[in-house]
């Protein structure tokens, strides 16, 4: 079994819980995910199965979109609903106006250095930061560069505000909530979070756990899964001629006429439309080197690279 499964992760489940659940349903261990969601968060979790796990980093590194419910007026130890409350804001009587909030939101656009939350899975001395924090140990995390593409205030009625966020990889919405509260002078914490997009994948196309509970089996997998090559759909297409297929499947370099493709990496297809992996072009030796080989017969047959790949056949 190979492919991509889009799951609408419910609140209370960890990302690992979903991976383990899919492993049990499909009776395979080769399952991973493309970007962690906190247990309190909901929304799109991209699951990779089989050879798709070799490509899942493309989802991890992709831009993502969220809808965040933030509560002003106090902060918490974990920057979200799960933590202990800290001191309440003295500005509760005169809360910031919508214009104030809109103005501060613009300060987060673009790139800036963000301080990750101490209750995170980032490693400190080989141990997850949240484990050290829960044990009462001091935790120091290095600030890191993040990028915010867009921010839109969807709804505001103090102390609650809802924000739509489009951001790059490594962005912590909990940290954003904390920093937003600090700049407004009110304090804030993340009350709820829904991830709506991961790269080209949308929450609207995801399956709920309830639906998958009835549908997800090894026999139904071809009807549910998306094709692995959707992880690299932005790459150009390389057609490997019949005479070069034997070399390709043995991992040997192949010579194709499409050496003028933009970039150095391409998704490769056999003449019958089978996706057969990824290749990198060597401009000095003028050949394509396989970097990921997908065995013939395990991909999608009889379809062109530009066809709809919502099913794995």
């Amino acid at each position: 079994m190979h492919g991509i499964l889009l799951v609408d992760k419910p609140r209370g489940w960890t990302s690992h819980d979903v991976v383990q659940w899919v492993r049990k349903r499909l009776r395979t261990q080769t399952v991973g995910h493309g970007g962690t969601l906190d247990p309190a968060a909901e929304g799109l979790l991209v699951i990779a199965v089989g050879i798709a796990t070799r490509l899942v980093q493309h989802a991890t590194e992709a831009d993502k979109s969220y809808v965040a419910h933030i509560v002003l007026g106090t902060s918490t130890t974990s920057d979200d609903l799960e933590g202990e409350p800290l001191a309440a804001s003295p500005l509760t009587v005169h809360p910031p106006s919508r214009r104030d909030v809109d103005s501060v939101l613009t300060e987060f656009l673009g790139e800036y250095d963000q301080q990750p939350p101490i209750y995170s899975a980032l490693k400190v001395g080989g141990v997850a930061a949240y484990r050290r924090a829960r044990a009462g140990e001091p935790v120091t995390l290095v600030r890191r560069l993040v990028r915010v593409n867009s921010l839109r205030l969807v709804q505001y009625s103090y102390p609650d505000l809802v924000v739509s966020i489009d951001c790059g990889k490594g962005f912590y919405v909990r940290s954003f909530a904390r920093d937003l509260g600090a700049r407004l002078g009110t304090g804030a914490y993340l009350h709820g979070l829904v991830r709506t997009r991961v790269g080209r994948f949308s929450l609207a196309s995801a399956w709920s756990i309830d639906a998958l509970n009835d549908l997800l089996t090894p026999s139904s997998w071809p009807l549910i899964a998306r094709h692995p090559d959707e992880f690299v759909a932005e790459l150009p297409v390389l057609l490997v001629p019949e005479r070069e297929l034997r070399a390709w499947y043995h991992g040997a370099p192949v010579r194709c006429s499409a050496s003028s493709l933009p970039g150095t990496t391409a998704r490769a297809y056999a003449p019958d439309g089978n996706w057969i992996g990824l290749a990198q072009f060597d401009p000095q030796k003028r050949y394509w080197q396989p970097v990921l080989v997908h065995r013939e017969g395990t991909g999608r047959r009889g379809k062109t690279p530009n066809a709809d790949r919502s099913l794995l056949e």
Side-chain angles (χ1 to χ4, degrees):
M1 286 179 288
H2 306 280
I4 301 166
L5 181 65
L6 305 183
V7 177
D8 184 355
K9 188 191 85 66
R11 191 182 185 96
W13 287 48
T14 67
S15 298
H16 184 66
D17 288 339
V18 178
V19 168
Q20 288 291 79
W21 187 83
V22 172
R23 284 174 177 165
K24 184 177 295 185
R25 300 285 302 186
L26 294 180
R27 299 195 290 274
T28 179
Q29 290 298 307
T30 315
V31 180
H33 68 77
T36 302
L37 275 177
D38 290 337
E42 306 168 63
L44 181 59
L45 186 67
V46 179
I47 298 293
V49 178
I51 199 170
T53 59
R54 301 274 302 277
L55 303 171
V56 75
Q57 76 273 9
H58 290 272
T60 304
E61 297 172 359
D63 286 1
K64 300 172 179 67
S65 299
Y66 300 90
V67 175
H69 174 194
I70 297 171
V71 176
L72 304 179
T74 190
S75 302
T76 71
T77 53
S78 61
D79 304 322
D80 64 8
L81 186 61
E82 306 297 313
E84 296 295 323
L86 300 173
S89 166
L91 295 182
T92 308
V93 178
H94 300 290
S97 67
R98 186 182 182 98
R99 178 177 295 181
D100 294 333
V101 175
D102 275 326
S103 177
V104 170
L105 287 178
T106 62
E107 299 176 13
F108 290 91
L109 292 172
E111 293 184 337
Y112 71 95
D113 289 326
Q114 185 187 66
Q115 180 71 49
I118 60 172
Y119 286 88
S120 66
L122 296 175
K123 297 296 179 64
V124 179
V127 179
Y130 73 86
R131 294 187 183 276
R132 292 188 179 275
R134 288 174 181 170
E137 300 177 19
V139 177
T140 302
L141 295 173
V142 178
R143 299 178 71 89
R144 56 185 187 175
L145 188 67
V146 296
R147 184 184 76 255
V148 177
N149 303 319
S150 67
L151 272 173
R152 182 172 64 88
L153 183 57
V154 177
Q155 184 177 335
Y156 177 50
S157 178
Y158 188 86
D160 298 284
L161 62 86
V162 177
V163 184
S164 173
I165 306 167
D166 186 274
C167 56
K169 68 175 183 176
F171 182 84
Y172 276 94
V173 183
R174 280 185 289 146
S175 291
F176 163 72
R178 176 201 65 210
D179 296 342
L180 176 64
R183 295 197 190 184
L184 289 171
T186 63
Y189 67 89
L190 182 64
H191 187 277
L193 182 68
V194 178
R195 184 157 66 193
T196 59
R197 183 183 68 90
V198 175
R200 67 192 305 272
F201 303 114
S202 168
L203 177 59
S205 300
W207 297 86
S208 70
I209 292 293
D210 287 343
L212 290 173
N213 198 49
D214 295 329
L215 294 173
L216 186 59
T217 64
S219 60
S220 68
W221 175 250
L223 302 175
I224 296 173
R226 304 172 75 100
H227 199 277
D229 72 350
E230 289 197 35
F231 276 139
V232 288
E234 76 284 356
L235 295 179
V237 170
L238 175 70
L239 294 178
V240 179
E242 192 76 33
R243 66 180 183 277
E244 298 283 357
L245 287 181
R246 176 181 288 272
W248 174 271
Y249 289 124
H250 284 85
V254 297
R255 297 191 182 277
C256 308
S257 60
S259 57
S260 62
L261 286 173
T264 59
T265 304
R267 47 196 173 116
Y269 293 84
D272 62 0
N274 245 359
W275 175 69
I276 56 175
L278 299 182
Q280 285 186 341
F281 183 66
D282 187 323
Q284 294 184 337
K285 297 181 179 179
R286 308 297 295 176
Y287 61 60
W288 288 90
Q289 177 65 50
V291 293
L292 175 63
V293 175
H294 192 39
R295 293 294 174 186
E296 186 175 12
T298 57
R300 183 181 183 88
R301 300 185 65 88
K303 300 290 182 180
T304 63
N306 293 324
D308 175 27
R309 299 182 176 278
S310 59
L311 301 179
L312 180 63
E313 298 175 350

